[in-house]
């Protein structure tokens, strides 16, 4: 599955952190402020609400200018800066996303949601050590956050700190024993370490948890094929690609943390006549649907 996953959960998580920051409508304005300032603040709150609603429907481009104006009207509001930061990240403007999130962090240094998002931003920016630092800091304040534990595992993976990555995946799975991505990624590490039988066991477990997950099914298919169980591997590989043909893209797999050993074996697997036939059929079916 795509990594990191924490950013994908932020909209859901944000709705549950009203104890961390005030809701938009709860801003307290000192009575001594003039009416004009109060009106500007109300306008900022309204713009921020509109931007947040648009973001929830993945309408990031129209949300962005509203959020930009909101932080001008609400320069000391952590929610406004956090919203602007994640909108920049969603529109692939990572540097400005990080700048906005750092402003939010300056307003509330121990806010774990901001720290986790900064970790995801630096991961997106391929600065894995900074990503690890922010995720670790956030986990000091909220050590049981499953998504952040998984992201930290992925960050350690990119740093080649494999034993530490496995430890974080296991912590994530301790929060939810049905969390198959953690099991899947342990299999990815095991395969790169040459522990093919262990990787097969991990991917079998992941598939038993989520039978419709294409990633562990394809990885398992490749491993079985390499081990000599070619018929089962080809059958399972075809089924995995029918679930999601996108997993036939080696660049996509590499972005999902598939290592060089597994990628090389997958390339060979995808080039087999049986899998090529499956991909051709899927491509034809998609073409016919679009006609």
């Amino acid at each position: 599955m795509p990594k990191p996953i924490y950013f994908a959960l932020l909209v859901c998580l944000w709705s549950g952190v009203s104890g961390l920051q005030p809701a938009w409508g709860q801003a307290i304005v000192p009575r001594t402020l003039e009416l004009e300032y109060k009106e500007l603040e109300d306008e900022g709150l309204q713009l921020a609400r509109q931007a947040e609603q648009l973001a929830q429907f993945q309408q990031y481009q129209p949300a962005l200018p509203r959020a930009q104006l909101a932080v001008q009207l609400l320069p000391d509001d952590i929610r406004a800066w956090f919203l602007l930061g994640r909108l920049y990240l969603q529109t692939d403007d990572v540097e400005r996303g990080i700048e906005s999130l750092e402003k939010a962090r300056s307003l509330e240094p121990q806010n774990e949601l901001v720290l986790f998002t900064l970790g995801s931003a630096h991961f997106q920016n391929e600065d894995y050590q900074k990503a690890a630092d922010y995720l670790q800091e956030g986990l000091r304040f909220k050590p049981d956050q499953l998504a952040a534990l998984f992201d930290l595992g992925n960050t350690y993976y990119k740093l080649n700190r494999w034993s530490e990555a496995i430890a974080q995946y296991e912590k994530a799975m301790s929060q939810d024993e049905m969390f198959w991505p953690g099991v899947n990624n342990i299999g990815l590490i095991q395969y790169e370490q040459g522990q093919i039988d262990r990787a097969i066991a991990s991917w079998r477990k992941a598939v038993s948890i989520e039978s419709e997950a294409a990633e562990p099914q394809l990885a398992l298919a490749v491993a079985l094929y390499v081990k000599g169980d070619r018929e089962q591997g080809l059958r399972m590989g075809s089924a995995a690609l029918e679930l999601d043909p996108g997993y036939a893209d080696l660049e996509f797999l590499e972005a999902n943390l598939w290592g060089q050993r597994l990628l090389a074996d997958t390339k060979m697997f995808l080039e087999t006549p049986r899998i090529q036939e499956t991909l051709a059929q899927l491509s034809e079916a998609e073409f016919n649907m679009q006609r």
Side-chain angles (χ1 to χ4, degrees), residues 191-212:
Y191 200 91
E192 293 308 299
Q193 293 176 324
Q195 302 173 10
I196 297 180
D197 289 336
R198 287 190 175 185
I200 287 173
S202 293
W203 289 325
R204 286 193 189 279
K205 181 178 178 181
V207 171
S208 72
I209 294 172
E210 180 48 75
S211 62
E212 297 299 307

Side-chain angles (χ1 to χ4, degrees), residues 3-274:
K3 291 90 177 176
I5 66 166
Y6 190 79
F7 193 74
L9 301 178
L10 287 179
V11 172
C12 297
L13 288 171
W14 186 252
S15 64
V17 295
S18 59
L20 300 177
Q21 292 89 30
W24 291 117
Q26 295 176 330
I28 300 174
V29 181
R31 295 181 181 178
T32 56
L33 293 180
E34 296 184 6
L35 180 59
E36 182 179 354
Y37 179 87
K38 178 65 167 61
E39 290 175 347
L40 289 172
E41 185 181 49
D42 288 344
E43 179 66 18
L45 293 171
Q46 183 177 356
L47 286 165
R49 290 192 195 98
Q50 291 173 359
E52 191 168 46
Q53 290 170 357
L54 288 166
Q56 289 174 353
F57 290 98
Q58 300 182 0
Q59 297 182 36
Y60 305 122
Q61 290 298 339
L64 189 56
R66 290 172 171 81
Q68 290 169 331
L69 184 54
V71 297
Q72 294 181 39
L73 299 173
L74 303 167
D76 297 320
D77 192 309
I78 183 176
R79 284 182 63 105
W81 285 105
F82 177 80
L83 174 62
L84 180 60
R86 64 183 176 93
L87 285 171
Y88 278 133
L89 295 183
Q90 288 286 25
T91 53
D92 295 323
D93 192 342
V94 180
E95 293 298 334
R96 284 204 280 185
I98 290 172
E99 290 176 6
S100 299
L101 291 167
E102 285 289 2
K103 176 61 178 179
R105 179 171 174 260
S106 72
L107 294 169
E108 195 169 322
Q110 296 184 355
N111 185 298
E112 69 268 14
L113 190 57
V114 173
L115 292 167
F116 291 152
T117 312
L118 274 165
S120 292
H122 283 292
F123 188 101
Q124 189 175 339
N125 210 32
E126 299 183 0
D127 190 339
Y128 302 117
Q129 186 55 59
K130 278 190 177 180
D133 292 342
Y134 280 112
L135 290 165
Q136 289 168 342
E137 182 70 10
L139 286 165
R140 284 182 52 213
F141 302 111
K142 193 171 181 61
D144 60 348
Q145 178 49 252
L146 181 151
L149 290 166
F150 182 70
D151 272 3
L152 183 56
N154 293 338
T155 304
Y156 284 148
Y157 183 110
K158 295 297 268 185
L159 291 168
N160 294 321
R161 294 161 61 177
W162 287 348
S163 61
E164 293 171 272
I166 289 174
Q168 296 304 314
Y169 294 143
E170 289 176 340
K171 286 181 182 179
M173 290 152 52
S174 72
Q175 301 299 317
D176 180 1
E177 61 182 14
M178 303 301 287
F179 184 63
W180 67 265
V183 185
N184 176 79
N185 284 19
I186 289 175
L188 296 178
I189 292 174
Q190 291 167 332
Y191 200 91
E192 293 308 299
Q193 293 176 324
Q195 302 173 10
I196 297 180
D197 289 336
R198 287 190 175 185
I200 287 173
S202 293
W203 289 325
R204 286 193 189 279
K205 181 178 178 181
V207 171
S208 72
I209 294 172
E210 180 48 75
S211 62
E212 297 299 307
E215 182 175 357
Q217 285 194 47
L218 181 59
L220 177 56
V222 172
L224 290 172
Y225 185 88
V226 169
K227 285 280 290 182
D229 193 347
R230 297 195 168 187
E231 180 57 33
Q232 184 179 3
L234 291 168
R235 184 172 62 253
M236 182 172 289
S238 294
L241 293 170
E242 287 172 5
L243 287 170
D244 189 343
Y247 280 93
D249 183 344
L250 293 175
E251 291 185 2
F252 176 75
L253 296 176
E254 186 173 10
N256 279 268
L257 304 187
W258 287 41
Q260 294 307 306
R261 181 194 296 264
L262 184 55
L263 286 171
D265 290 342
T266 302
K267 183 177 184 296
M268 173 195 66
F269 180 79
L270 293 172
E271 290 172 350
T272 61
R274 175 92 164 263

